[in-house]
Structures are given as structure tokens and as C-alpha cells.
Amino acid sequence: MTDESGAELWKEHQSAFDRVRAVAVTVSEPKPADWIAEQAHVAGNTARDHLQRLVEMNVLRTATGGTATRYEPDPLYTRMQALRNLLDDRTRDDLLKLRGDLQEQVEEWQTEYDADSPSELRERAAHADTAEATREMRQTANDWDIIAYRLQLVGDAIEHYADYAGSTPAPA
Amino acid sequence: MFAFDGGYDPGQASHTVLLELRRTIERHPAVQHASGEPPGQFIRVVATLDPAILGSEADEGTLTLRWYAGEAADADPEFVFHYSENSGFDCGWHHEPNPHVDGWAHYQERLSADDEYEYEAVSFDSLQPVPLLWGILDRLEIRLTDR
């Protein structure tokens, strides 16, 4: 089965610029323009134009080394987007409560699995009694990695709340 | 995805993808609303759909998206795109270790919550989150229309 008609659907509902941006901000490693163009279903020159603009906007940055220019998300932009999403509609008290909830979740996993970190839990998962238990523990380890990042973000948002929220409209 | 200090952070990479998937899925005409769940935790995206637009007669449908970018930057992602509706039917495209098919990529479905899942090996043209999402939305529409 191919996903060609999925590409048609995508092209119908998102512009070439949006498609290039969506691919480029979610790569795990720096990628050249031609690779991004292929994934985003745009022509190579179109991708290069949009990528250049995204670099000027500080959404992306270029990676050094290698022959072709490669692009990756700008970590500052990535973090800013995540913080903005976290701060939307949340007061400082909401964030303090959220931090407590996230910490409680991590402590529950630590107790339940007798593991201090997601990677330790993955090691335990490899030696679990059943395939189902392995699967569940791996899933929890994946969630735990995300929660650990969320906790960092919430900590940052609380620490700098006055600066960050200064640009947020006051609640009605 | 590079963390702030230049190292790879699987939590950050996964979270970034989930944010982008939520943003993108709202562009699909069948999607009424999409949010990060559980509230505040954001370990998955849940989209409320209008099943009629996808060719189903059910009143309500949801698509749940999970994404884990992998422990290392060059690892394959683990993901789940799972649809369920109030008729009891549910189905999904998954990419994760499993005992049912060779390899990670599979489709599973059951007609009601009392049934056992049936599994089928599948392949994906791309493991990039956003192109993959549109491909799966298309496969879902085909599956619901043909049902």
C-alpha cells in the first residue's frame, strides 16, 4: 500500500511552506534540502527557498560539516514553542500544581517498578516475566521520558513566569 | 532533535513531534478538536473526529496518537495512530515491538470491544511524523468507507 493519496490530502490542506516547516521541525538529525523536499512533496528549489526563510526566522538552523547544507530545528525556537504552549491559559499556580502532579507521577513509577530512570525501567522490561509486561514497561519508559522533559519545561516556566507571561494577555 | 545543551533528548524530540502532530491534524476536515492528553502531561494527542466525513455511520470517533522518537537520534520511532468509535469498532496503525507480526509495522482492528484483535503486517512509505499522519488519515478513510 502506498500513501500517495495521503500526500494529495496533505497538499490540499497545507501549503508548501507549511509542509516544509512541518517536516523540518520534526527531524531527529540534520537533513539536506532534497531529502526534506521529497518528504514534504515540494520541488527542490521550493524547499530551498522555504528552508532559507525558516533559517532567517530562527525556526531552523544549518548544521556544519558535510558537503550539502543540512537543516535542523533551532533548539531555542523549539523550546520557546513548547513553553508558549505550556503557558497558554495557565497561571503560575496552575504550573505549580502541574509540577506537583508530574513529580507525583514519576515517584509512582519509581516505586512501582523500583527504577530511578526511564533507561533503568527499559533494562527491567527486558527481563520481565511476560511479553505483555515488557510491552507495558517499555511504554511507561517512553511516557516517562516525555514527562521528564515536561518537568524541565514547567520548572523553566515557573522560574521565569514574570518574564514569559508578560507577553501573555491577562485572564479576563 | 537537539536538546538545549546540544545533546539528544528523547523526551524533547517526542514532545516536539506531538505538538506538531496536534497542530497539523487540526487541518484535516474531519477533525473537530485535538488536544494533548492527559491535561498538562501531553504524552499523547487525542483528536475528536466527525466520522461521517470519513465515511462511517458512527456518531462519534476519536483518533489517539502516541509518538516516541527513540532512545537515540538515529533510532526508529515507536508510534500508534489508533481510531475508535462509539459503535465499538476500533482499529490502528502501530509501529512498535509486538508478538503478532514480523517487524514493527502492523494494522490491528476489532469490530467490538468483546472481539479479539486481528493483526496484519503493513509498511509505511515514510516514518516522518507529519507525512505519515496524512497517509494514515487516508488509509483510515479508505477502511471506514469500505467497511
Side-chain angles (χ1 to χ4, degrees):
Chain A
M1 191 172 200
T2 73
D3 292 321
E4 272 312 303
S5 49
E8 289 307 314
L9 199 61
W10 189 18
K11 285 195 254 185
E12 197 181 319
H13 296 288
Q14 284 200 293
S15 68
F17 180 79
D18 276 345
R19 299 199 303 278
V20 168
R21 194 194 56 77
V23 169
V25 299
T26 52
V27 298
S28 289
E29 295 178 293
K31 297 289 186 186
D34 286 341
W35 184 93
I36 294 169
E38 192 185 332
Q39 292 290 325
H41 303 279
V42 303
N45 284 339
T46 308
R48 271 180 277 278
D49 286 350
H50 292 329
L51 289 165
Q52 185 53 40
R53 198 168 145 214
L54 287 160
V55 170
E56 286 162 12
M57 292 163 71
N58 297 317
V59 173
L60 303 178
R61 65 181 185 183
T62 52
T64 50
T67 47
T69 304
R70 291 170 303 136
Y71 299 84
E72 64 183 0
D74 185 316
L76 189 56
Y77 177 82
T78 302
R79 193 165 181 95
M80 189 272 284
Q81 285 278 92
L83 276 167
R84 172 53 69 215
N85 180 266
L86 187 66
L87 283 159
D88 277 349
D89 304 322
R90 282 196 180 86
T91 64
R92 193 164 181 278
D93 284 348
D94 294 336
L95 292 169
L96 288 167
K97 174 162 188 327
L98 178 55
R99 181 167 66 182
D101 292 346
L102 294 173
Q103 280 168 339
E104 200 175 308
Q105 174 66 80
V106 167
E107 283 160 18
E108 268 177 38
W109 285 330
Q110 284 172 332
T111 307
E112 185 179 349
Y113 297 107
D114 189 24
D116 285 335
S117 67
S119 51
E120 207 176 306
L121 179 53
R122 279 192 191 88
E123 276 178 37
R124 294 208 190 291
H127 302 103
D129 294 338
T130 64
E132 191 49 45
T134 301
R135 191 182 141 102
E136 188 190 311
M137 287 160 83
R138 281 180 57 95
Q139 178 67 64
T140 300
N142 295 352
D143 291 348
W144 190 343
D145 264 327
I146 297 174
I147 295 288
Y149 175 64
R150 272 305 261 190
L151 259 172
Q152 276 183 40
L153 276 182
V154 175
D156 187 351
I158 290 169
E159 191 180 342
H160 301 285
Y161 190 79
D163 295 336
Y164 294 158
S167 57
T168 307
Chain B
M1 187 68 57
F2 291 77
F4 214 54
D5 62 2
Y8 172 79
D9 175 347
Q12 179 186 25
S14 308
H15 190 269
T16 303
V17 169
L18 287 166
L19 280 174
E20 192 59 33
L21 287 174
R22 188 194 63 181
R23 176 191 176 118
T24 298
I25 199 171
E26 288 192 320
R27 305 299 290 269
H28 191 279
V31 175
Q32 295 168 331
H33 174 69
S35 56
E37 298 286 341
Q41 294 198 9
F42 215 134
I43 53 178
R44 58 181 185 267
V45 172
V46 178
T48 308
L49 308 175
D50 177 355
I53 294 179
L54 294 167
S56 167
E57 290 172 1
D59 298 328
E60 292 168 27
T62 56
L63 186 67
T64 300
L65 289 64
R66 308 184 69 108
W67 191 277
Y68 181 67
E71 281 177 87
D74 58 355
D76 277 347
E78 293 179 37
F79 56 78
V80 168
F81 293 77
H82 204 95
Y83 172 77
S84 61
E85 59 186 33
N86 62 340
S87 69
F89 174 83
D90 75 77
C91 70
W93 288 264
H94 297 208
H95 189 258
E96 59 192 356
N98 75 92
H100 310 288
V101 302
D102 289 337
W104 282 18
H106 64 278
Y107 171 76
Q108 65 184 70
E109 78 166 44
R110 60 182 177 184
L111 296 179
S112 79
D114 299 332
D115 292 332
E116 296 285 317
Y117 277 112
E118 288 182 17
Y119 298 86
E120 178 189 336
V122 294
S123 64
F124 300 112
D125 288 354
S126 168
L127 294 181
Q128 290 305 300
V130 178
L132 183 73
L133 170 66
W134 288 94
I136 283 173
L137 286 164
D138 185 55
R139 292 184 196 208
L140 177 62
E141 185 171 1
I142 292 169
R143 179 66 196 103
L144 295 180
T145 307
D146 289 351
R147 187 150 51 109

